[in-house]
Amino acid sequence: MNSASRPSGRRPDQMRNIRFTRNYTRYAEGSVLVEFGDTRVVCTATVSDQVPKFIKGKTQGWVTAEYGMLPRSTSERTIREAARGKQGGRTLEIQRLIGRSLRSAVNLKGIPGYAVTVDCDVIQADGGTRTASISGGFVALHEAVTQLANSHCIPFIPVRNFVAAVSVGIVNNIPVLDLDYEEDCQAHTDMNIVMNDADAFIEVQGTAEQQAFSRDEFASMLDLASLGVREVIRQQKLCLDK
Amino acid sequence: MNSASRPSGRRPDQMRNIRFTRNYTRYAEGSVLVEFGDTRVVCTATVSDQVPKFIKGKTQGWVTAEYGMLPRSTSERTIREAARGKQGGRTLEIQRLIGRSLRSAVNLKGIPGYAVTVDCDVIQADGGTRTASISGGFVALHEAVTQLANSHCIPFIPVRNFVAAVSVGIVNNIPVLDLDYEEDCQAHTDMNIVMNDADAFIEVQGTAEQQAFSRDEFASMLDLASLGVREVIRQQKLCLDK
Amino acid sequence: MNSASRPSGRRPDQMRNIRFTRNYTRYAEGSVLVEFGDTRVVCTATVSDQVPKFIKGKTQGWVTAEYGMLPRSTSERTIREAARGKQGGRTLEIQRLIGRSLRSAVNLKGIPGYAVTVDCDVIQADGGTRTASISGGFVALHEAVTQLANSHCIPFIPVRNFVAAVSVGIVNNIPVLDLDYEEDCQAHTDMNIVMNDADAFIEVQGTAEQQAFSRDEFASMLDLASLGVREVIRQQKLCLDK
Amino acid sequence: MNSASRPSGRRPDQMRNIRFTRNYTRYAEGSVLVEFGDTRVVCTATVSDQVPKFIKGKTQGWVTAEYGMLPRSTSERTIREAARGKQGGRTLEIQRLIGRSLRSAVNLKGIPGYAVTVDCDVIQADGGTRTASISGGFVALHEAVTQLANSHCIPFIPVRNFVAAVSVGIVNNIPVLDLDYEEDCQAHTDMNIVMNDADAFIEVQGTAEQQAFSRDEFASMLDLASLGVREVIRQQKLCLDK
Amino acid sequence: MNSASRPSGRRPDQMRNIRFTRNYTRYAEGSVLVEFGDTRVVCTATVSDQVPKFIKGKTQGWVTAEYGMLPRSTSERTIREAARGKQGGRTLEIQRLIGRSLRSAVNLKGIPGYAVTVDCDVIQADGGTRTASISGGFVALHEAVTQLANSHCIPFIPVRNFVAAVSVGIVNNIPVLDLDYEEDCQAHTDMNIVMNDADAFIEVQGTAEQQAFSRDEFASMLDLASLGVREVIRQQKLCLDK
Amino acid sequence: MNSASRPSGRRPDQMRNIRFTRNYTRYAEGSVLVEFGDTRVVCTATVSDQVPKFIKGKTQGWVTAEYGMLPRSTSERTIREAARGKQGGRTLEIQRLIGRSLRSAVNLKGIPGYAVTVDCDVIQADGGTRTASISGGFVALHEAVTQLANSHCIPFIPVRNFVAAVSVGIVNNIPVLDLDYEEDCQAHTDMNIVMNDADAFIEVQGTAEQQAFSRDEFASMLDLASLGVREVIRQQKLCLDK
């Protein structure tokens, strides 16, 4: 296992540079630009007092997410979903994943009557857009519910725990952390893992692209994920403490 | 850990009755009714020589899947997706999962110029429709490619390995195998696992519904999944040997 | 006029085997599998207290129908309407026909505040899916409103009369009853007739495919239809009496 | 049976004033304004050398129809189907009926490589828009194929027979011909009948709105239809002979 | 600058024949056929007491417009937007323009609780359909609000001023008024101008098709527009005074 | 006329700070972030050798544009058009305007066989997003066609002239240049003007929101526009010369 195996020259357990830039846009209740290397995603959190129907009458709130890519965030231009007239399966799958992950981060009973929509829009994609979206979306969500608490709309900040995500995979038979696009294309297995700051699992989505993976490989990937998530959460905390 | 914890009275590691009925309909190249307890799914495999665009010119074939539920396969009537004018995110997510899982089962270079569409339509849903669909879809796909080989369209049966799926989860803090709908609603964690007959992983999709799960719980669920998949594959083989 | 003229060897005035299987699925208020020979349709009736807008405030209920075909219910795979994003003209035409026919069977004032949706999903198609759907849909509807009466939601069973449908046509210049798919393709005229148990007409839809039909041919087809509907209603009664 | 029974004062067997105005618009290969009393429909026939896929390679042509209503052609404004984003079931059903009816009027082998689209757009609706559309659409189609023959694109005019349509129904227990909107609302039975100039049937679509109709009533309606169609065809011939 | 430059032989500052025919259809609250030469548009105004959401609770009404073309109103058949499943960008752009223009003509506070929908449907298109629609739509709107006042639903006729529109352009380097389709195709610049009877501007939409236009050319076109609008308003007044 | 009339304290003829940042993303053939004050738009130009159908066989290329807003680019969250399933009328109108404007900037015969798509995605909106999009889109387009020439795909840079756009309007009865969102809401007239570096007009779209504007006001707005466009083009040139 040597670093020569990664196109970027990174060690197998090395994340790309991660950066969270708060207050990236001026209108949203929470707004952050998250960068995982060359992957750049704008995450905004919008607070509304219009809760979805299935929540009405319950003493709780809701958190949901939407995901999109700018047409030329990718190396080949991707057709604009608004022009196609529908969101594709991949988009729906990703935004469902982001939504579930972020809901696990807050106590929904702590935001009664409020709905928070986290929009994750990819400006530039170089692998890992969904894990960057979850990690950045958490920061935007944290900002938004903190603002709700600060303005006394709710009694306290209802964050249960920090939530972050990383991708892991098997490239050239070696388990690696935080795949960029080039690695993603070569990977035999690609897995997205969402964890919290108690080192517990929230979502696991793994796919063997060409060959199935063993229980041992699985364990190695989980080890890497745990390492990576810890690093992302460290950055989230630094950013939110500023 | 006692059987009292499951509403059905099953042991934590006990599958429901599994049944594969071949030749369930008369037109398809492969056709099977799969039952996991009260969950019933019609799986048909259709062979076509119209391959998708991205395959054209390559010496390989393709396998894809579609999934649907009859409106009253569920306890409350579900709106018909054809009437709504689009397939929902859940449907797209499931049919993408089935498609990826089944593609791992065949050597696509072994069916050059052919596209196989596996339709999984749920007649009655009692939890585990996606794992039943993958398990039954494999049988329909196996029938279809066997027929292609038997009619000398391709030189040999291009099945790489058997593929089956089960759900596992944590209900009342106990890891259990093959959740029915009642357990699904109570589960803290719900995971769908697709494996092959070499005990290796093809797809893992786990979601912590209310509380995150630990590495130990994860391991227990993987153990149960391995057990369950082995049983499903045993039934697939019995059925295909008839 | 001899039986040699029909591919199936049936006499011109002979129906295929008709079978109604009650309680085919477990959740619906009415549920039946109807078979006209190899044509198999699952009919379920769902009772709801959400009536359509145009009924609100009136002391009556409503009955509506939806129709669909599994993609591989046909000899060639039919594209899934949910994937296409809309129901085709044929589907809409058929479900409007089923809905009108079934509304004629019940006294809508007898189910005030209730809407019954009858779903007819074709598992296997061999001609006559719409007449099978009406005939089976009636049984499911009967079960559903009987259950409403039995549970004292309404004072009595509001069925005005039995309703059934058959197809008739002219094949090789001979009027025949209950066409299968092979005959359907050869027919010069194809007619679907819905009648009640008072031998009166509810719906008539006839189409001359290649050559117009005469008043005499029309009369012969009506005679056959009357005969066929009587037989279907006899089976409906047997099934509901069980 | 007296004329007092009809709101318009017409006798039961009396059509409204029928008028065909040729060359109603200037671009179409065939163009006619058809009026059945206050019902006014613009029918245009467009000839194209782009035949539908299922015709390609066959030595025949095709005829198809589309139908629409101006939003305020009706007493209450009807939502614009282009704005709703889809054609409703009624529209699709009607345009399928018009298309089948008009295809029966021409020898499709006589227009090889040509597709004729007949557009029927309702300017004002007072009952009978579909029968007016068929009757007017025939004239536009006749003009278009005649022009094809006159310009030597095809060797002769491929019209097999004249085709026209009328509505009949049972209003206040009396069979009547050519219902206007007021009668349509009161009718117990409403039937659209398409016939040719050999007094033979092409399409029959009858619906019992509230009470089923008997075989005798059926016969009376067919008698009226035959009478009405003869009158419409007389007018079509007068118009085309001009 | 001589009349030889226009295909129609008109002088550069000469409108086509303009004609408004009131009461063109019988159901609408306002209804007019407007003709600018061979361009013919049916304009109807429908009054409703269902105002859009953003108006609810305000003491004002609303005016909106919809636009459509019959498929064969053009020299080549245009695909029916209802069949395509959506209104195109050109249609939406035009109906937004018509709506804004007509809203400027009435005092919206003078029709509290009412929504007027003006439908403009093009029967035949020979250039200038949007300016004809605005000019005819104004007449239909005037009729509708006058009827509201006459029936004492509102205290007085809330028309602020007359509104009309013309197209101007530069064809063969000469500024011309009211372009027909042939000129439209050749024009270097094409401009639609909406003005009121106080000679003031409501909407200006100008496009340089192939070469940009100068400030002087701009001025000449505005002069022509002013002239043309005055003529259209004179005709509107004549028509409404009848 | 004093500067007190503008909320921002700007003089009536003063633009906001304008900034063009090249190479904003890494994949596109042209990529720029354009800022007009707080309005920020990412413009990318994508070169493709797939030209639209209506260009095929002609010795020319094509330029088209698409426009979108991030959901929270606005002070209230705007629904995501991809989720709504269609682009709204405003979006279509804007992207048609951008496309026409940019096509005027290049000699389409100079890019035979190439299609350039300019995507303008609004990150933050504070008025003037369409004029910023045109101005920034021009820079991205210039970069893309320059790259085509530099790589010898085309013989020379086919830019006919520089193209830029500004908004002008009448706020508090004073003509002003480059309205921000606050002014936009108060403006009686709002006009978007696209011009080239020869001081000639390409597009003019003016709307009187509440009261019509006079010929004199029109002239003042055109003077301001000319001034503003000159400034934007100066910045475009500075940016492209870097």
Side-chain angles (χ1 to χ4, degrees), chain F residues 69-87:
Chain F
M69 299 181 93
L70 295 203
R72 198 56 198 277
S73 60
T74 44
S75 65
E76 304 281 306
R77 186 174 183 272
T78 307
I79 199 166
R80 190 179 288 268
E81 291 188 319
R84 260 181 72 202
K86 64 175 177 178
Q87 295 178 295

Side-chain angles (χ1 to χ4, degrees), chain A residues 26-27, chain F residues 6-7 10 16 74-76 125-128 167-172 176 178-191 207-211:
Chain A
R26 86 180 214 201
Y27 301 115
Chain F
R6 304 193 75 172
R10 281 188 282 147
R16 291 175 285 182
T74 44
S75 65
E76 304 281 306
D126 186 31
S167 73
V168 289
I170 297 176
V171 183
N172 297 328
V176 294
D178 187 29
L179 287 67
D180 58 30
Y181 182 70
E182 192 178 343
E183 287 176 312
D184 215 28
C185 296
Q186 302 168 14
H188 284 198
T189 291
D190 176 24
M191 194 175 291
T207 294
E209 297 288 343
Q210 288 156 343
Q211 65 185 64

Side-chain angles (χ1 to χ4, degrees), chain F residues 78-115:
Chain F
T78 307
I79 199 166
R80 190 179 288 268
E81 291 188 319
R84 260 181 72 202
K86 64 175 177 178
Q87 295 178 295
R90 178 183 170 277
T91 294
L92 292 173
E93 193 172 309
I94 291 175
Q95 66 191 21
R96 285 160 57 92
L97 171 67
I98 302 171
R100 288 195 307 269
S101 299
L102 296 183
R103 277 193 292 282
S104 79
V106 292
N107 183 350
L108 297 174
K109 292 192 191 306
I111 51 167
Y114 292 101

Side-chain angles (χ1 to χ4, degrees), chain D residues 206-219:
Chain D
T207 295
E209 298 287 345
Q210 289 155 341
Q211 66 185 64
F213 55 95
S214 69
R215 185 77 181 256
D216 281 351
E217 289 170 321
F218 203 157

Side-chain angles (χ1 to χ4, degrees), chain C residues 123-138:
Chain C
I123 302 292
Q124 194 167 271
D126 187 30
T129 64
R130 77 189 74 187
T131 52
S133 294
I134 292 166
S135 303
F138 172 80

